């Protein structure tokens, strides 16, 4: 019988954490569940840990190994292996609550949803912080208001496979690329107002490593823009594309760039994002979402210009905690 849900876990050198992740998935109240684990060329004992789980739970845990190609490559590979009616993600250092996939599955079936969205917790050494997401409508509002996180959502497998949307191999910010392109295709979405995922914020994780690889955001946002142009959606989604460029290049990624250690590299990376924003959307200061959505974050976006951008970078480097996105 086909699994109701496949959960994708991509693991690279996760021998210290992946057991917690898999234990939380094996504790799910949903019985027809498949755990698809991709060992992305780990060089530690990750594979041995995974193989033991597969041996102990052969009907649930499916382990596949591939050469290291990065998280986007591993996720694309996983999409060719899953068999569930729906699928979700869980990172190999995170955990989820036992009712998560039963609740998301029930919502998907009740509303015939292509995507189901839930809340989650940010977790670090200081404790847990609730993050809510939604509700919002599919399309433009989804694009502007979504959190570009894969693992607090459930996706209908056949719906995704019939789209020409995949994760951009070799690139970071692959979740943003996938979700921002997907926003234009979703017609039915539902929300479960409960937090299930404990998202572990580790100082050494890929998201929180501040180095020259942050430049990869340029490539990813060009891919997003090209997707909308190739599908004749650019004009219809112009304002939304403009706004997510503002959020990204003056928000979280700007914060990451401001923390690059080498001063020359830091300035170069910040200016690459700034130049892309201004070349792609020269009138971005007039984007109506800056006023319509309100709040201090959008007020800050409106204040940034070529004369003060490095001042804000200095400010964020010394005084600002994560999250401007």
């Amino acid at each position: 019988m086909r699994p109701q849900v496949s959960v994708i876990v991509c693991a690279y050198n996760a021998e210290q954490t992946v057991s917690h992740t898999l234990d939380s998935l094996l504790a799910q109240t949903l019985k027809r569940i498949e755990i698809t684990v991709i060992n992305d060329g780990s060089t530690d004992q990750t594979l041995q840990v995974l193989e033991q789980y597969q041996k102990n739970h052969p009907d649930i845990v499916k382990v596949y190994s591939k050469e290291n190609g990065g998280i986007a490559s591993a996720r694309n590979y996983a999409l060719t292996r899953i068999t569930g009616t729906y699928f979700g993600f869980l990172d190999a250092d995170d955990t989820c609550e036992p009712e998560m996939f039963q609740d998301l599955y029930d919502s998907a079936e009740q509303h015939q949803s292509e995507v189901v969205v839930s809340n989650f917790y940010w977790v670090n050494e200081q404790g847990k912080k609730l993050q809510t997401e939604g509700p919002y409508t599919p399309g433009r509002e989804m694009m502007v208001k979504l959190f570009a996180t894969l693992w607090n959502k459930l996706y209908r497998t056949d719906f995704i496979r019939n789209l020409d949307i995949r994760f951009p191999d070799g690139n970071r910010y692959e979740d943003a690329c996938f979700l921002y392109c997907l926003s234009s295709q979703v017609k039915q979405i539902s929300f479960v107002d409960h937090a299930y995922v404990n998202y572990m914020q580790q100082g050494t994780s890929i998201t929180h490593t501040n180095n020259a690889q942050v430049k990869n955001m340029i490539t990813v946002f060009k891919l997003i823009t090209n997707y909308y142009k190739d599908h004749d959606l650019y004009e219809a989604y112009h304002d939304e594309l403009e706004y997510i460029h503002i959020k990204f290049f003056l928000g979280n990624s700007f914060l990451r760039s401001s923390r690059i250690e080498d001063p020359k590299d830091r300035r170069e990376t910040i200016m690459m994002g700034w130049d892309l924003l201004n070349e792609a959307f020269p009138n971005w200061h007039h984007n109506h979402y800056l006023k319509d959505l309100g709040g201090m974050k959008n007020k800050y976006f409106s204040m940034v210009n070529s004369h003060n951008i490095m001042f804000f970078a200095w400010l964020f480097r010394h005084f600002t905690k994560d999250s401007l996105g």
Side-chain angles (χ1 to χ4, degrees):
M1 186 177 294
R2 185 179 186 182
Q4 294 164 312
V5 171
S6 297
V7 184
I8 295 169
V9 179
C10 298
Y12 174 71
N13 288 355
E15 63 177 4
Q16 300 297 323
T17 60
V18 72
S19 294
H20 301 294
T21 303
L22 296 180
D23 287 343
S24 75
L25 291 174
L26 289 168
Q28 290 295 300
T29 58
L30 183 71
K31 298 308 178 186
R32 284 167 48 199
I33 191 170
E34 171 185 75
I35 304 171
T36 302
V37 192
I38 310 301
N39 171 46
D40 189 33
S42 296
T43 57
D44 62 359
Q45 298 299 305
T46 295
L47 180 58
Q48 288 82 348
V49 173
L50 299 180
E51 288 177 336
Q52 188 62 51
Y53 272 88
Q54 182 173 241
K55 180 180 178 180
N56 294 339
H57 308 277
D59 296 330
I60 300 175
V61 180
K62 312 296 181 184
V63 176
Y64 302 91
S65 286
K66 59 182 288 296
E67 291 185 3
N68 179 254
I71 188 67
S73 173
R75 284 174 171 154
N76 286 328
Y77 183 81
L79 290 177
T80 69
R81 296 294 185 267
I82 57 173
T83 63
T85 304
Y86 301 89
F87 70 92
F89 296 91
L90 194 63
D91 286 353
D93 56 353
D94 298 338
T95 61
C96 63
E97 301 302 315
E99 301 82 12
M100 176 174 180
F101 288 103
Q102 181 70 66
D103 290 354
L104 298 190
Y105 174 82
D106 289 344
S107 179
E109 288 290 283
Q110 178 183 350
H111 300 285
Q112 290 299 290
S113 303
E114 295 153 338
V115 178
V116 183
V117 181
S118 65
N119 306 326
F120 63 92
Y121 290 107
W122 304 93
V123 182
N124 57 29
E125 57 273 12
Q126 277 78 48
K128 297 172 67 169
K129 179 183 177 181
L130 174 66
Q131 178 64 64
T132 60
E133 179 172 353
Y136 44 70
T137 57
R140 293 177 180 84
E141 189 177 20
M142 178 178 179
M143 193 171 182
V144 169
K145 293 187 176 181
L146 70 81
F147 271 86
T149 49
L150 294 168
W151 27 255
N152 65 320
K153 301 173 177 72
L154 190 71
Y155 313 85
R156 186 185 296 273
T157 305
D158 293 344
F159 168 67
I160 297 297
R161 283 179 170 164
N162 287 330
L163 300 174
D164 60 342
I165 299 174
R166 294 296 181 268
F167 298 97
D169 279 1
N171 289 286
R172 298 176 63 178
Y173 306 106
E174 79 294 335
D175 44 3
C177 190
F178 179 85
L179 287 167
Y180 284 135
C181 293
L182 183 62
S183 297
S184 64
Q185 304 301 320
V186 175
K187 299 296 186 291
Q188 188 64 34
I189 191 168
S190 59
F191 296 84
V192 178
D193 187 17
H194 189 83
Y196 299 99
V197 175
N198 298 297
Y199 172 53
M200 307 301 295
Q201 294 183 276
Q202 303 291 342
T204 57
S205 73
I206 190 167
T207 305
H208 293 81
T209 300
N210 305 307
N211 54 38
Q213 292 183 54
V214 176
K215 296 189 184 85
N216 188 226
M217 63 187 175
I218 304 291
T219 300
V220 167
F221 270 74
K222 286 181 178 178
L223 290 173
I224 295 169
T225 299
N226 288 339
Y227 176 86
Y228 279 81
K229 289 181 177 179
D230 292 345
H231 292 78
D232 295 323
L233 292 168
Y234 181 79
E235 294 302 325
Y237 280 84
H238 174 275
D239 291 354
E240 291 73 30
L241 285 165
E242 184 176 65
Y243 184 69
I244 66 170
H245 276 70
I246 296 168
K247 280 206 311 179
F248 211 83
F249 291 108
L250 300 182
N252 268 344
S253 292
F254 180 72
L255 180 60
R256 304 283 183 257
S257 300
S258 73
R259 294 176 179 174
I260 293 173
E261 289 299 325
D262 180 77
K264 181 180 179 181
D265 194 25
R266 180 168 64 247
R267 180 179 180 83
E268 178 182 303
T269 305
I270 289 169
M271 295 310 297
M272 284 177 68
W274 175 252
D275 290 343
L276 175 65
L277 171 61
N278 285 277
E279 289 168 9
F281 301 100
N283 298 312
W284 66 266
H285 273 104
H286 301 291
N287 185 279
H288 68 89
Y289 287 110
L290 294 174
K291 182 178 180 180
D292 295 348
L293 296 177
M296 290 301 298
K297 179 177 67 177
N298 287 302
K299 186 175 182 179
Y300 144 68
F301 292 154
S302 300
M303 293 170 58
V304 181
N305 59 52
S306 59
H307 301 293
N308 63 23
I309 186 170
M310 295 311 298
F311 167 73
F312 279 111
W314 176 86
L315 194 68
F316 294 157
R317 179 174 172 81
H318 291 90
F319 299 108
T320 307
K321 295 181 180 179
D322 283 355
S323 178
L324 287 168

PDB file of all heavy atoms in Angstrom, residues 144-171:
ATOM      1  N   VAL A 144       4.869  36.854  -1.247  1.00  0.00           N
ATOM      2  CA  VAL A 144       5.322  37.955  -0.408  1.00  0.00           C
ATOM      3  C   VAL A 144       5.432  37.546   1.057  1.00  0.00           C
ATOM      4  O   VAL A 144       6.344  37.985   1.764  1.00  0.00           O
ATOM      5  CB  VAL A 144       4.358  39.157  -0.558  1.00  0.00           C
ATOM      6  CG1 VAL A 144       4.635  40.226   0.495  1.00  0.00           C
ATOM      7  CG2 VAL A 144       4.489  39.750  -1.954  1.00  0.00           C
ATOM      8  N   LYS A 145       4.528  36.674   1.518  1.00  0.00           N
ATOM      9  CA  LYS A 145       4.417  36.425   2.954  1.00  0.00           C
ATOM     10  C   LYS A 145       4.985  35.089   3.424  1.00  0.00           C
ATOM     11  O   LYS A 145       5.099  34.866   4.635  1.00  0.00           O
ATOM     12  CB  LYS A 145       2.946  36.520   3.372  1.00  0.00           C
ATOM     13  CG  LYS A 145       2.384  37.925   3.256  1.00  0.00           C
ATOM     14  CD  LYS A 145       0.984  38.022   3.823  1.00  0.00           C
ATOM     15  CE  LYS A 145       0.465  39.454   3.790  1.00  0.00           C
ATOM     16  NZ  LYS A 145      -0.900  39.561   4.369  1.00  0.00           N
ATOM     17  N   LEU A 146       5.329  34.191   2.513  1.00  0.00           N
ATOM     18  CA  LEU A 146       5.802  32.878   2.969  1.00  0.00           C
ATOM     19  C   LEU A 146       7.148  32.978   3.660  1.00  0.00           C
ATOM     20  O   LEU A 146       7.930  33.884   3.410  1.00  0.00           O
ATOM     21  CB  LEU A 146       5.881  31.892   1.808  1.00  0.00           C
ATOM     22  CG  LEU A 146       6.943  32.053   0.703  1.00  0.00           C
ATOM     23  CD1 LEU A 146       8.316  31.505   1.091  1.00  0.00           C
ATOM     24  CD2 LEU A 146       6.486  31.349  -0.564  1.00  0.00           C
ATOM     25  N   PHE A 147       7.420  32.018   4.555  1.00  0.00           N
ATOM     26  CA  PHE A 147       8.763  31.784   5.067  1.00  0.00           C
ATOM     27  C   PHE A 147       9.402  30.760   4.138  1.00  0.00           C
ATOM     28  O   PHE A 147       8.834  29.702   3.900  1.00  0.00           O
ATOM     29  CB  PHE A 147       8.715  31.249   6.496  1.00  0.00           C
ATOM     30  CG  PHE A 147       8.721  32.320   7.539  1.00  0.00           C
ATOM     31  CD1 PHE A 147       7.540  32.918   7.931  1.00  0.00           C
ATOM     32  CD2 PHE A 147       9.911  32.748   8.101  1.00  0.00           C
ATOM     33  CE1 PHE A 147       7.529  33.926   8.887  1.00  0.00           C
ATOM     34  CE2 PHE A 147       9.919  33.753   9.055  1.00  0.00           C
ATOM     35  CZ  PHE A 147       8.729  34.342   9.453  1.00  0.00           C
ATOM     36  N   ALA A 148      10.576  31.086   3.625  1.00  0.00           N
ATOM     37  CA  ALA A 148      11.219  30.206   2.657  1.00  0.00           C
ATOM     38  C   ALA A 148      11.894  29.042   3.364  1.00  0.00           C
ATOM     39  O   ALA A 148      13.106  28.822   3.273  1.00  0.00           O
ATOM     40  CB  ALA A 148      12.219  30.987   1.813  1.00  0.00           C
ATOM     41  N   THR A 149      11.082  28.289   4.107  1.00  0.00           N
ATOM     42  CA  THR A 149      11.538  27.095   4.806  1.00  0.00           C
ATOM     43  C   THR A 149      10.741  25.907   4.304  1.00  0.00           C
ATOM     44  O   THR A 149       9.510  25.943   4.268  1.00  0.00           O
ATOM     45  CB  THR A 149      11.345  27.245   6.323  1.00  0.00           C
ATOM     46  OG1 THR A 149       9.994  27.699   6.591  1.00  0.00           O
ATOM     47  CG2 THR A 149      12.311  28.274   6.888  1.00  0.00           C
ATOM     48  N   LEU A 150      11.412  24.852   3.931  1.00  0.00           N
ATOM     49  CA  LEU A 150      10.755  23.689   3.331  1.00  0.00           C
ATOM     50  C   LEU A 150      10.083  22.795   4.351  1.00  0.00           C
ATOM     51  O   LEU A 150       9.053  22.176   4.082  1.00  0.00           O
ATOM     52  CB  LEU A 150      11.794  22.849   2.574  1.00  0.00           C
ATOM     53  CG  LEU A 150      12.438  23.476   1.349  1.00  0.00           C
ATOM     54  CD1 LEU A 150      13.618  22.624   0.923  1.00  0.00           C
ATOM     55  CD2 LEU A 150      11.418  23.593   0.228  1.00  0.00           C
ATOM     56  N   TRP A 151      10.657  22.698   5.541  1.00  0.00           N
ATOM     57  CA  TRP A 151      10.358  21.602   6.451  1.00  0.00           C
ATOM     58  C   TRP A 151       9.170  21.837   7.367  1.00  0.00           C
ATOM     59  O   TRP A 151       8.853  20.970   8.172  1.00  0.00           O
ATOM     60  CB  TRP A 151      11.598  21.273   7.292  1.00  0.00           C
ATOM     61  CG  TRP A 151      12.524  22.432   7.487  1.00  0.00           C
ATOM     62  CD1 TRP A 151      13.727  22.638   6.868  1.00  0.00           C
ATOM     63  CD2 TRP A 151      12.318  23.570   8.331  1.00  0.00           C
ATOM     64  NE1 TRP A 151      14.281  23.824   7.287  1.00  0.00           N
ATOM     65  CE2 TRP A 151      13.443  24.418   8.189  1.00  0.00           C
ATOM     66  CE3 TRP A 151      11.293  23.948   9.212  1.00  0.00           C
ATOM     67  CZ2 TRP A 151      13.580  25.611   8.864  1.00  0.00           C
ATOM     68  CZ3 TRP A 151      11.408  25.151   9.893  1.00  0.00           C
ATOM     69  CH2 TRP A 151      12.548  25.962   9.717  1.00  0.00           C
ATOM     70  N   ASN A 152       8.490  22.965   7.267  1.00  0.00           N
ATOM     71  CA  ASN A 152       7.232  23.145   8.009  1.00  0.00           C
ATOM     72  C   ASN A 152       6.037  23.033   7.067  1.00  0.00           C
ATOM     73  O   ASN A 152       4.953  23.524   7.369  1.00  0.00           O
ATOM     74  CB  ASN A 152       7.206  24.493   8.726  1.00  0.00           C
ATOM     75  CG  ASN A 152       7.212  25.676   7.762  1.00  0.00           C
ATOM     76  OD1 ASN A 152       7.915  25.654   6.748  1.00  0.00           O
ATOM     77  ND2 ASN A 152       6.448  26.705   8.075  1.00  0.00           N
ATOM     78  N   LYS A 153       6.238  22.351   5.948  1.00  0.00           N
ATOM     79  CA  LYS A 153       5.213  22.255   4.918  1.00  0.00           C
ATOM     80  C   LYS A 153       5.093  20.818   4.404  1.00  0.00           C
ATOM     81  O   LYS A 153       6.019  20.013   4.543  1.00  0.00           O
ATOM     82  CB  LYS A 153       5.542  23.191   3.753  1.00  0.00           C
ATOM     83  CG  LYS A 153       5.648  24.659   4.161  1.00  0.00           C
ATOM     84  CD  LYS A 153       6.145  25.531   3.035  1.00  0.00           C
ATOM     85  CE  LYS A 153       6.170  27.004   3.435  1.00  0.00           C
ATOM     86  NZ  LYS A 153       7.255  27.321   4.397  1.00  0.00           N
ATOM     87  N   LEU A 154       3.937  20.526   3.809  1.00  0.00           N
ATOM     88  CA  LEU A 154       3.680  19.239   3.168  1.00  0.00           C
ATOM     89  C   LEU A 154       3.283  19.516   1.724  1.00  0.00           C
ATOM     90  O   LEU A 154       2.567  20.487   1.451  1.00  0.00           O
ATOM     91  CB  LEU A 154       2.563  18.493   3.899  1.00  0.00           C
ATOM     92  CG  LEU A 154       2.328  17.036   3.494  1.00  0.00           C
ATOM     93  CD1 LEU A 154       3.481  16.151   3.996  1.00  0.00           C
ATOM     94  CD2 LEU A 154       0.997  16.536   4.054  1.00  0.00           C
ATOM     95  N   TYR A 155       3.725  18.653   0.799  1.00  0.00           N
ATOM     96  CA  TYR A 155       3.521  18.876  -0.630  1.00  0.00           C
ATOM     97  C   TYR A 155       2.884  17.639  -1.264  1.00  0.00           C
ATOM     98  O   TYR A 155       3.280  16.512  -0.956  1.00  0.00           O
ATOM     99  CB  TYR A 155       4.864  19.166  -1.324  1.00  0.00           C
ATOM    100  CG  TYR A 155       5.712  20.181  -0.610  1.00  0.00           C
ATOM    101  CD1 TYR A 155       6.555  19.794   0.444  1.00  0.00           C
ATOM    102  CD2 TYR A 155       5.680  21.524  -0.957  1.00  0.00           C
ATOM    103  CE1 TYR A 155       7.335  20.729   1.115  1.00  0.00           C
ATOM    104  CE2 TYR A 155       6.468  22.464  -0.290  1.00  0.00           C
ATOM    105  CZ  TYR A 155       7.293  22.060   0.748  1.00  0.00           C
ATOM    106  OH  TYR A 155       8.072  22.975   1.412  1.00  0.00           O
ATOM    107  N   ARG A 156       1.949  17.867  -2.188  1.00  0.00           N
ATOM    108  CA  ARG A 156       1.361  16.747  -2.920  1.00  0.00           C
ATOM    109  C   ARG A 156       2.362  16.285  -3.975  1.00  0.00           C
ATOM    110  O   ARG A 156       2.785  17.068  -4.840  1.00  0.00           O
ATOM    111  CB  ARG A 156       0.045  17.157  -3.569  1.00  0.00           C
ATOM    112  CG  ARG A 156      -0.687  15.979  -4.232  1.00  0.00           C
ATOM    113  CD  ARG A 156      -1.935  16.436  -4.964  1.00  0.00           C
ATOM    114  NE  ARG A 156      -2.939  17.008  -4.072  1.00  0.00           N
ATOM    115  CZ  ARG A 156      -3.861  16.267  -3.430  1.00  0.00           C
ATOM    116  NH1 ARG A 156      -3.904  14.957  -3.609  1.00  0.00           N
ATOM    117  NH2 ARG A 156      -4.738  16.855  -2.642  1.00  0.00           N
ATOM    118  N   THR A 157       2.744  15.034  -3.915  1.00  0.00           N
ATOM    119  CA  THR A 157       3.834  14.525  -4.741  1.00  0.00           C
ATOM    120  C   THR A 157       3.545  14.653  -6.231  1.00  0.00           C
ATOM    121  O   THR A 157       4.383  15.161  -6.997  1.00  0.00           O
ATOM    122  CB  THR A 157       4.121  13.051  -4.387  1.00  0.00           C
ATOM    123  OG1 THR A 157       4.387  12.949  -2.982  1.00  0.00           O
ATOM    124  CG2 THR A 157       5.315  12.526  -5.169  1.00  0.00           C
ATOM    125  N   ASP A 158       2.401  14.210  -6.691  1.00  0.00           N
ATOM    126  CA  ASP A 158       2.097  14.246  -8.123  1.00  0.00           C
ATOM    127  C   ASP A 158       2.047  15.676  -8.641  1.00  0.00           C
ATOM    128  O   ASP A 158       2.445  15.947  -9.780  1.00  0.00           O
ATOM    129  CB  ASP A 158       0.776  13.527  -8.413  1.00  0.00           C
ATOM    130  CG  ASP A 158       0.865  12.027  -8.143  1.00  0.00           C
ATOM    131  OD1 ASP A 158       1.997  11.509  -8.039  1.00  0.00           O
ATOM    132  OD2 ASP A 158      -0.192  11.376  -8.033  1.00  0.00           O
ATOM    133  N   PHE A 159       1.560  16.587  -7.812  1.00  0.00           N
ATOM    134  CA  PHE A 159       1.506  17.998  -8.202  1.00  0.00           C
ATOM    135  C   PHE A 159       2.911  18.534  -8.466  1.00  0.00           C
ATOM    136  O   PHE A 159       3.166  19.178  -9.492  1.00  0.00           O
ATOM    137  CB  PHE A 159       0.818  18.806  -7.099  1.00  0.00           C
ATOM    138  CG  PHE A 159       0.935  20.289  -7.238  1.00  0.00           C
ATOM    139  CD1 PHE A 159       0.306  20.953  -8.278  1.00  0.00           C
ATOM    140  CD2 PHE A 159       1.682  21.036  -6.333  1.00  0.00           C
ATOM    141  CE1 PHE A 159       0.413  22.338  -8.414  1.00  0.00           C
ATOM    142  CE2 PHE A 159       1.793  22.417  -6.452  1.00  0.00           C
ATOM    143  CZ  PHE A 159       1.158  23.065  -7.502  1.00  0.00           C
ATOM    144  N   ILE A 160       3.842  18.268  -7.561  1.00  0.00           N
ATOM    145  CA  ILE A 160       5.214  18.771  -7.723  1.00  0.00           C
ATOM    146  C   ILE A 160       5.899  18.109  -8.910  1.00  0.00           C
ATOM    147  O   ILE A 160       6.591  18.786  -9.697  1.00  0.00           O
ATOM    148  CB  ILE A 160       6.029  18.545  -6.432  1.00  0.00           C
ATOM    149  CG1 ILE A 160       5.419  19.328  -5.257  1.00  0.00           C
ATOM    150  CG2 ILE A 160       7.498  18.926  -6.647  1.00  0.00           C
ATOM    151  CD1 ILE A 160       5.425  20.832  -5.431  1.00  0.00           C
ATOM    152  N   ARG A 161       5.710  16.830  -9.074  1.00  0.00           N
ATOM    153  CA  ARG A 161       6.378  16.132 -10.172  1.00  0.00           C
ATOM    154  C   ARG A 161       5.907  16.596 -11.541  1.00  0.00           C
ATOM    155  O   ARG A 161       6.634  16.475 -12.530  1.00  0.00           O
ATOM    156  CB  ARG A 161       6.176  14.626 -10.018  1.00  0.00           C
ATOM    157  CG  ARG A 161       7.075  14.012  -8.952  1.00  0.00           C
ATOM    158  CD  ARG A 161       6.840  12.539  -8.798  1.00  0.00           C
ATOM    159  NE  ARG A 161       7.871  11.923  -7.948  1.00  0.00           N
ATOM    160  CZ  ARG A 161       7.758  10.724  -7.402  1.00  0.00           C
ATOM    161  NH1 ARG A 161       6.642  10.003  -7.590  1.00  0.00           N
ATOM    162  NH2 ARG A 161       8.730  10.242  -6.648  1.00  0.00           N
ATOM    163  N   ASN A 162       4.711  17.129 -11.613  1.00  0.00           N
ATOM    164  CA  ASN A 162       4.178  17.601 -12.893  1.00  0.00           C
ATOM    165  C   ASN A 162       4.603  19.028 -13.214  1.00  0.00           C
ATOM    166  O   ASN A 162       4.258  19.553 -14.281  1.00  0.00           O
ATOM    167  CB  ASN A 162       2.653  17.511 -12.899  1.00  0.00           C
ATOM    168  CG  ASN A 162       2.163  16.078 -13.013  1.00  0.00           C
ATOM    169  OD1 ASN A 162       2.825  15.227 -13.615  1.00  0.00           O
ATOM    170  ND2 ASN A 162       1.015  15.791 -12.423  1.00  0.00           N
ATOM    171  N   LEU A 163       5.342  19.654 -12.298  1.00  0.00           N
ATOM    172  CA  LEU A 163       5.860  20.994 -12.536  1.00  0.00           C
ATOM    173  C   LEU A 163       7.323  20.919 -12.958  1.00  0.00           C
ATOM    174  O   LEU A 163       8.020  19.943 -12.663  1.00  0.00           O
ATOM    175  CB  LEU A 163       5.753  21.843 -11.263  1.00  0.00           C
ATOM    176  CG  LEU A 163       4.351  22.063 -10.686  1.00  0.00           C
ATOM    177  CD1 LEU A 163       4.454  22.800  -9.351  1.00  0.00           C
ATOM    178  CD2 LEU A 163       3.477  22.841 -11.648  1.00  0.00           C
ATOM    179  N   ASP A 164       7.799  21.946 -13.632  1.00  0.00           N
ATOM    180  CA  ASP A 164       9.222  21.998 -13.992  1.00  0.00           C
ATOM    181  C   ASP A 164       9.987  22.830 -12.964  1.00  0.00           C
ATOM    182  O   ASP A 164      10.759  23.717 -13.298  1.00  0.00           O
ATOM    183  CB  ASP A 164       9.412  22.552 -15.400  1.00  0.00           C
ATOM    184  CG  ASP A 164       8.851  23.964 -15.555  1.00  0.00           C
ATOM    185  OD1 ASP A 164       8.034  24.372 -14.702  1.00  0.00           O
ATOM    186  OD2 ASP A 164       9.231  24.651 -16.518  1.00  0.00           O
ATOM    187  N   ILE A 165       9.736  22.508 -11.701  1.00  0.00           N
ATOM    188  CA  ILE A 165      10.421  23.195 -10.597  1.00  0.00           C
ATOM    189  C   ILE A 165      11.241  22.177  -9.821  1.00  0.00           C
ATOM    190  O   ILE A 165      10.699  21.196  -9.312  1.00  0.00           O
ATOM    191  CB  ILE A 165       9.416  23.873  -9.648  1.00  0.00           C
ATOM    192  CG1 ILE A 165       8.599  24.933 -10.397  1.00  0.00           C
ATOM    193  CG2 ILE A 165      10.152  24.518  -8.469  1.00  0.00           C
ATOM    194  CD1 ILE A 165       7.494  25.536  -9.552  1.00  0.00           C
ATOM    195  N   ARG A 166      12.527  22.411  -9.747  1.00  0.00           N
ATOM    196  CA  ARG A 166      13.412  21.569  -8.969  1.00  0.00           C
ATOM    197  C   ARG A 166      14.379  22.462  -8.195  1.00  0.00           C
ATOM    198  O   ARG A 166      14.437  23.665  -8.399  1.00  0.00           O
ATOM    199  CB  ARG A 166      14.175  20.582  -9.876  1.00  0.00           C
ATOM    200  CG  ARG A 166      13.295  19.551 -10.567  1.00  0.00           C
ATOM    201  CD  ARG A 166      12.623  18.620  -9.587  1.00  0.00           C
ATOM    202  NE  ARG A 166      11.788  17.615 -10.239  1.00  0.00           N
ATOM    203  CZ  ARG A 166      10.490  17.756 -10.483  1.00  0.00           C
ATOM    204  NH1 ARG A 166       9.878  18.890 -10.153  1.00  0.00           N
ATOM    205  NH2 ARG A 166       9.804  16.796 -11.064  1.00  0.00           N
ATOM    206  N   PHE A 167      15.151  21.851  -7.335  1.00  0.00           N
ATOM    207  CA  PHE A 167      16.132  22.605  -6.575  1.00  0.00           C
ATOM    208  C   PHE A 167      17.353  22.878  -7.445  1.00  0.00           C
ATOM    209  O   PHE A 167      17.792  21.994  -8.192  1.00  0.00           O
ATOM    210  CB  PHE A 167      16.523  21.833  -5.318  1.00  0.00           C
ATOM    211  CG  PHE A 167      15.370  21.617  -4.383  1.00  0.00           C
ATOM    212  CD1 PHE A 167      14.655  20.426  -4.393  1.00  0.00           C
ATOM    213  CD2 PHE A 167      14.963  22.616  -3.518  1.00  0.00           C
ATOM    214  CE1 PHE A 167      13.572  20.228  -3.553  1.00  0.00           C
ATOM    215  CE2 PHE A 167      13.879  22.437  -2.674  1.00  0.00           C
ATOM    216  CZ  PHE A 167      13.184  21.239  -2.693  1.00  0.00           C
ATOM    217  N   PRO A 168      17.919  24.074  -7.376  1.00  0.00           N
ATOM    218  CA  PRO A 168      19.037  24.448  -8.257  1.00  0.00           C
ATOM    219  C   PRO A 168      20.343  23.794  -7.814  1.00  0.00           C
ATOM    220  O   PRO A 168      20.963  24.222  -6.834  1.00  0.00           O
ATOM    221  CB  PRO A 168      19.094  25.972  -8.122  1.00  0.00           C
ATOM    222  CG  PRO A 168      18.554  26.244  -6.742  1.00  0.00           C
ATOM    223  CD  PRO A 168      17.514  25.181  -6.484  1.00  0.00           C
ATOM    224  N   ASP A 169      20.769  22.780  -8.522  1.00  0.00           N
ATOM    225  CA  ASP A 169      21.966  22.029  -8.165  1.00  0.00           C
ATOM    226  C   ASP A 169      23.160  22.955  -7.969  1.00  0.00           C
ATOM    227  O   ASP A 169      23.399  23.881  -8.746  1.00  0.00           O
ATOM    228  CB  ASP A 169      22.312  21.015  -9.261  1.00  0.00           C
ATOM    229  CG  ASP A 169      21.483  19.745  -9.153  1.00  0.00           C
ATOM    230  OD1 ASP A 169      20.634  19.662  -8.246  1.00  0.00           O
ATOM    231  OD2 ASP A 169      21.682  18.838  -9.979  1.00  0.00           O
ATOM    232  N   GLY A 170      23.912  22.680  -6.913  1.00  0.00           N
ATOM    233  CA  GLY A 170      25.139  23.414  -6.661  1.00  0.00           C
ATOM    234  C   GLY A 170      24.956  24.770  -6.030  1.00  0.00           C
ATOM    235  O   GLY A 170      25.931  25.517  -5.877  1.00  0.00           O
ATOM    236  N   ASN A 171      23.725  25.091  -5.654  1.00  0.00           N
ATOM    237  CA  ASN A 171      23.460  26.421  -5.112  1.00  0.00           C
ATOM    238  C   ASN A 171      22.929  26.360  -3.692  1.00  0.00           C
ATOM    239  O   ASN A 171      22.196  25.440  -3.324  1.00  0.00           O
ATOM    240  CB  ASN A 171      22.445  27.152  -5.989  1.00  0.00           C
ATOM    241  CG  ASN A 171      23.018  27.558  -7.326  1.00  0.00           C
ATOM    242  OD1 ASN A 171      23.801  28.491  -7.422  1.00  0.00           O
ATOM    243  ND2 ASN A 171      22.649  26.848  -8.378  1.00  0.00           N
TER     244      ASN A 171
END
